[in-house]
Amino acid sequence: MLTTPCPSCRRPKGRGKYLCGPCWFTLPQSARSALNLRDTHAHARLRELHSQLTGGVPLHEIQVTR
């Protein structure tokens, strides 16, 4: 299985995953629910996540719009 580094902690994450497991479950439930939606806005939500990670927002404070 190929892995890439988690954009939050740099630990390996599975291919097709946004974050590694520990980081994913640190996100608020509302952010995880929004990121799990598969629609025309999915890429924009992923950009929101990455923007907040780059900006230094702690995982437990990240908000992603639906």
Side-chain angles (χ1 to χ4, degrees), residues 4-47:
T4 57
C6 174
S8 177
C9 69
R10 310 311 293 167
R11 285 184 288 225
K13 67 172 184 64
R15 195 170 151 206
K17 303 288 183 186
Y18 294 146
L19 302 169
C20 68
C23 289
W24 177 255
F25 288 106
T26 302
L27 289 174
Q29 176 61 44
S30 59
R32 292 193 317 264
S33 294
L35 290 165
N36 276 328
L37 295 173
R38 301 291 183 237
D39 60 15
T40 58
H41 302 288
H43 194 258
R45 286 190 292 273
L46 178 58
R47 283 194 313 265

